[in-house]
Amino acid sequence: MIVVCGEALSTRRPLHIDRHARASTAGGFRISFMARSCKHIGQMKDVGPSGPGCVECLAAGKHDWVHLRWCQECGHVGCCDNSPGKHATGHNRSTQHPIIRSYEPDEDWYYCYPDDLMFELEDAPPNPSHP
């Protein structure tokens, strides 16, 4: 079972997986097992995470995040929606950067805000995760 920001995936909108869907490539990555695809993969850049924790929480002297998310356009690290600050979503709303990646150990999923789509990419670089 995949847990997203403290919630079991089954409590979120389903992923609509179609194992017979053809794989496609975008942004140099191969997308597989999706009936729908992210229309924003081309906006992903080869950026590293901005730091070891949520940028806004650390600036405020707080460490009360639940999970961390990493913007795939600029590298901003923000806290998830179960965290008090909800800074990853706040970053998306203020910048319109569409795709985040989990910044948690052993999690390889991405999420596209405008497409409301969680997905994994074949041949994606390893997730460095926070320390």
Side-chain angles (χ1 to χ4, degrees), residues 13-57:
R13 206 165 117 175
L15 289 176
H16 306 292
I17 295 173
D18 177 358
R19 295 197 184 280
H20 301 291
R22 289 179 28 190
S24 63
T25 56
F29 297 105
R30 181 183 161 127
I31 308 166
S32 63
F33 304 123
M34 292 191 309
R36 298 189 298 149
S37 62
C38 174
K39 298 173 188 83
H40 302 87
I41 287 181
Q43 291 178 249
M44 291 173 62
K45 297 186 171 116
D46 186 14
V47 294
S50 59
C54 175
V55 172
E56 293 83 358
C57 289

Side-chain angles (χ1 to χ4, degrees), residues 62-120:
K62 298 180 180 180
H63 294 83
D64 58 352
W65 57 77
V66 178
H67 291 102
L68 297 171
R69 307 297 178 233
W70 167 26
C71 176
Q72 295 298 285
E73 188 164 336
C74 72
H76 174 272
V77 173
C79 55
C80 73
D81 286 351
N82 281 359
S83 302
K86 302 179 183 180
H87 293 120
T89 296
H91 176 74
N92 164 259
R93 289 182 179 151
S94 66
T95 64
Q96 300 302 305
H97 294 170
I99 300 173
I100 57 171
R101 186 176 187 182
S102 175
Y103 193 39
E104 294 298 318
D106 301 319
E107 291 184 3
D108 291 320
W109 57 265
Y110 296 78
Y111 178 75
C112 178
Y113 284 100
D115 292 332
D116 189 22
L117 181 69
M118 176 184 253
F119 59 94
E120 291 184 356

